[in-house]
Amino acid sequence: MKILIKGAKIVNFDDIIEGNLFIRNSRIAKIGEVSEEPDKIIDAKGKFVLPGLIDMHTHLRTPGREDEEDLWSGSKAAAKGGFTTIFCMPNTRPALDNQGQVNWLLEEAGKIGIIEILPVGAITKGREGKELSEFGMLKKAGCLCLSDDGNPLEDSSLLRRALEYAKMYDLLIISHCEDKNLSASGSLREHLISSKYGMEGIPWASESIAVFRDIELARYLDTKIHIAHVSTKRSLQIIKKAKEEGVKVSCETAPHYFTLTIEDLEKSHFHPNFKVNPPLGNREDLEAIREGLKEGVIDCIATDHAPHSQGEKELPFEEAPPGVVGLELAFSLSYTYLVKAQILDLKDLVKLMSYNPANILGLKDKGYIKEGAWADLIIVDLSRSWQVLPHKLFSKSKNTPFIGHTLEGIVEFTICKGKVVYTEKGKNG
Ligand code: DOR
Ligand code: ZN
C-alpha cells in the first residue's frame, strides 16, 4: 500500500516542516516531492502530522479481566487516541512473569495487529515482591522493560538484585514508587480535605521516600531506572538533582497529574473516577509537574490507562479500585492543558509522547518522522474540539474524571506501520 499525505505540517521534536509525505508498505519512503502514484491520498492541508504516540504505561487487563479491557478494545482505544505503540503492564491474572505468558500475549496481540502491543514483564514472580522472575527468559520472549506496577518492591536488596540483573540483560526497571506502610489504606492525599471529611490520607512522602531509595540504588549500581507516574513536587526535586548529578534516571507523569488536584476530587463529591494511585496532589504539585514537563525533568507523558468495571467504580470511594482510563484522552488533555496553555509547544509534546519513550526503550525507527522510519504516524486537527462522552469511548471501561469536558485537538487518522488503523468518523482522506 502506498499512501501520500499531502501538504501537512510535519512535526518532530526538533523541527516543523511543511510538505508531502509518501508511505510505501510499512515505512516512510519520502518526505518532499514524489512522482510515484499512490494507492491513497490523504489531504492534510492545515493539519499536523506527528510521530505515532508511544505509551510506556498501559493496563490492558489481559489475561484475567477482559470484562474491563481486552487486547482488541485496548488497541482500538489506543489507535483512536493516536498511540501506535503501547507497553502493557503485567498486573494481570496471572501476572506476566514468565516466558510462556509473554509469548502468549505477543501471539494474541499479533493476531489483532491494529497497533503494536509490547509486554512489560513482572520483576518478581506473581508480583509478590519475594522472588525475581527469570529476567533472561523474559528478555528472550521480547520484554524490553520490567515492572511490578501497582506494587512497589519493598525489599531494597531484592531491588538491588533486580537492577543488577536488569543491567546484565539490558532491561529497564520501571518502578512504582510508594511506601506501602505510609500509604496504608489511604485512598486520597493526606491534606486538609482528607482531614475535613475524616478520610484516611496518603502522605506525599510515601512517593518521594521510595523515589529517593530507588535513585540511590541506581546511583550506587551505576545503572538506569525509570520512575512511573510521578505525582509530587518533592519527587521531582529529587529526580532533578539526581539527573544533574549524572544518575541515569528517567521518569514519566500522567495527564491527570497536570490537570487535576485534590480540590477537584472534593468538588466531585469524591467520585471514584477521581481515585487513582498515586493520588491527586495539591496545586503546588500540579504546578511542579507542569514545570518539570517544561524543564525536561520529566521525560515522558504516559497514560497509566487503568480500566475498571462500572460496578467496581460505583463502590464507595474508599472501597473503589484506583485508576483512570487515558488512552483516548491523553493527547487532547496534553494539547489543551500544556500546548494551548502555552506551557509547552507542539514539538515538546512530540518529545514527551513519542521521541523520548522511543529512546528510553530503545525502539528502533520509531518516535521520529524521517525517511526509512516505520510509518507510525498520526494526523491531528488542532483547530477542532470534542466532548468526552462515555458512550463514544472505545475502551470497555469508562472510568474517567473528564466526562463532559471539552478538549482541544482531534486525532483524525492513525497509521501504524503504513496501515490506516483509525479514521475519525466522516473522514475519508
Ligand atoms: O491508579 C492505579 N491503577 N495505579 C496503579 O499503580 C495501578 C493501576 C491499576 O492497575 O488499576
Ligand atoms: Zn503504578
Side-chain angles (χ1 to χ4, degrees):
M1 180 84 166
K2 297 176 203 167
I3 305 173
L4 174 64
I5 302 174
K6 268 177 81 174
K9 295 190 185 77
I10 300 167
V11 189
N12 273 313
F13 83 94
D14 56 353
D15 202 12
I16 302 185
I17 58 161
E18 195 162 342
N20 296 341
L21 202 149
F22 193 78
I23 299 168
R24 194 185 304 112
N25 301 325
S26 48
R27 302 262 178 183
I28 298 168
K30 184 110 177 71
I31 298 171
E33 284 314 307
V34 211
S35 49
E36 213 173 319
E37 266 305 302
D39 302 309
K40 180 182 171 71
I41 298 176
I42 301 175
D43 181 7
K45 223 173 167 29
K47 315 285 165 75
F48 290 83
V49 178
L50 277 50
L53 309 178
I54 299 170
D55 188 9
M56 289 186 68
H57 195 141
T58 311
H59 298 271
L60 289 183
R61 304 291 187 236
T62 304
R65 286 305 303 265
E66 290 88 344
D67 60 311
E68 297 183 323
E69 198 77 286
D70 59 25
L71 302 183
W72 173 262
S73 62
S75 297
K76 297 281 283 181
K80 186 173 172 210
F83 290 93
T84 49
T85 308
I86 61 178
F87 285 79
C88 61
M89 283 292 170
N91 59 338
T92 49
R93 292 181 212 159
L96 297 178
D97 63 359
N98 65 72
Q99 199 175 8
Q101 280 296 127
V102 172
N103 285 340
W104 174 83
L105 186 96
L106 282 172
E107 214 169 283
E108 293 301 307
K111 283 183 207 161
I112 293 169
I114 297 177
I115 50 137
E116 185 154 29
I117 296 175
L118 293 171
V120 183
I123 302 173
T124 64
K125 292 187 179 156
R127 296 173 49 257
E128 286 175 355
K130 293 191 182 118
E131 203 184 329
L132 293 183
S133 317
E134 305 278 351
F135 285 16
M137 296 298 207
L138 288 171
K139 172 87 186 194
K140 209 166 142 200
C143 290
L144 301 171
C145 50
L146 305 177
S147 180
D148 271 3
D149 186 53
N151 292 341
L153 234 71
E154 285 177 31
D155 180 341
S156 303
S157 91
L158 198 64
L159 178 60
R160 174 205 174 139
R161 280 199 287 122
L163 287 167
E164 283 170 339
Y165 280 116
K167 188 176 187 178
M168 225 158 81
Y169 290 107
D170 192 22
L171 285 159
L172 179 69
I173 296 287
I174 301 178
S175 187
H176 170 115
C177 288
E178 179 181 1
D179 183 318
K180 281 276 187 199
N181 291 314
L182 276 176
S183 42
S185 49
S187 49
L188 74 171
R189 171 67 74 78
E190 189 167 283
H191 183 272
L192 275 178
I193 291 175
S194 62
S195 310
K196 187 165 137 195
Y197 294 90
M199 296 163 95
E200 198 182 323
I202 301 173
W204 54 256
S206 165
E207 179 178 294
S208 46
I209 285 172
V211 167
F212 187 79
R213 180 206 58 174
D214 289 16
I215 287 179
E216 281 304 85
L217 278 173
R219 184 199 304 270
Y220 181 68
L221 299 168
D222 188 26
T223 193
K224 58 187 180 181
I225 193 161
H226 180 82
I227 312 292
H229 43 56
V230 174
S231 73
T232 75
K233 178 178 175 178
R234 182 65 193 131
S235 297
L236 282 175
Q237 287 170 345
I238 296 168
I239 293 166
K240 183 176 177 183
K241 180 122 198 308
K243 282 189 165 193
E244 283 163 5
E245 291 164 353
V247 182
K248 299 180 185 107
V249 55
S250 55
C251 71
E252 71 192 29
T253 192
H256 34 279
Y257 300 118
F258 58 77
T259 51
L260 297 173
T261 65
I262 188 168
E263 273 92 13
D264 298 300
L265 168 63
E266 185 186 25
K267 276 188 218 132
S268 80
H269 304 289
F270 302 96
H271 195 293
N273 281 356
F274 288 72
K275 181 171 175 180
V276 67
N277 189 25
L280 298 175
N282 60 24
R283 192 75 210 173
E284 269 188 48
D285 295 303
L286 178 141
E287 297 295 349
I289 299 281
R290 290 182 178 177
E291 186 60 26
L293 288 161
K294 193 180 162 130
E295 280 187 315
V297 175
I298 299 174
D299 301 277
C300 318
I301 297 172
T303 64
D304 199 0
H305 177 80
H308 287 289
S309 70
Q310 191 176 346
E312 283 167 41
K313 278 292 195 184
E314 276 172 355
L315 291 169
F317 186 79
E318 275 111 327
E319 290 160 42
V324 303
V325 291
L327 283 170
E328 290 162 82
L329 286 87
F331 175 75
S332 300
L333 281 170
S334 304
Y335 177 68
T336 307
Y337 287 91
L338 299 174
V339 180
K340 270 248 149 174
Q342 298 187 326
I343 295 164
L344 302 180
D345 67 24
L346 199 55
K347 300 198 296 295
D348 299 327
L349 200 59
V350 163
K351 192 170 186 179
L352 287 157
M353 299 189 82
S354 197
Y355 181 77
N356 280 351
N359 260 359
I360 288 170
L361 288 154
L363 303 177
K364 230 177 147 279
D365 296 336
K366 290 198 182 201
Y368 197 86
I369 301 177
K370 61 176 181 206
E371 290 174 4
W374 290 114
D376 284 2
L377 302 162
I378 58 174
I379 303 175
V380 296
D381 188 334
L382 300 178
S383 65
R384 294 173 57 207
S385 58
W386 62 286
Q387 199 184 12
V388 183
L389 298 169
H391 64 276
K392 294 232 169 130
L393 297 177
F394 286 176
S395 176
K396 279 192 187 179
S397 299
K398 318 292 177 190
N399 50 299
T400 164
F402 297 102
I403 289 169
H405 284 225
T406 298
L407 303 176
E408 311 276 339
I410 293 190
V411 177
E412 291 190 343
F413 292 89
T414 300
I415 300 169
C416 185
K417 295 198 170 161
K419 224 170 78 186
V420 179
V421 293
Y422 169 76
T423 308
E424 197 209 349
K425 231 182 173 153
K427 298 275 154 205
N428 55 23

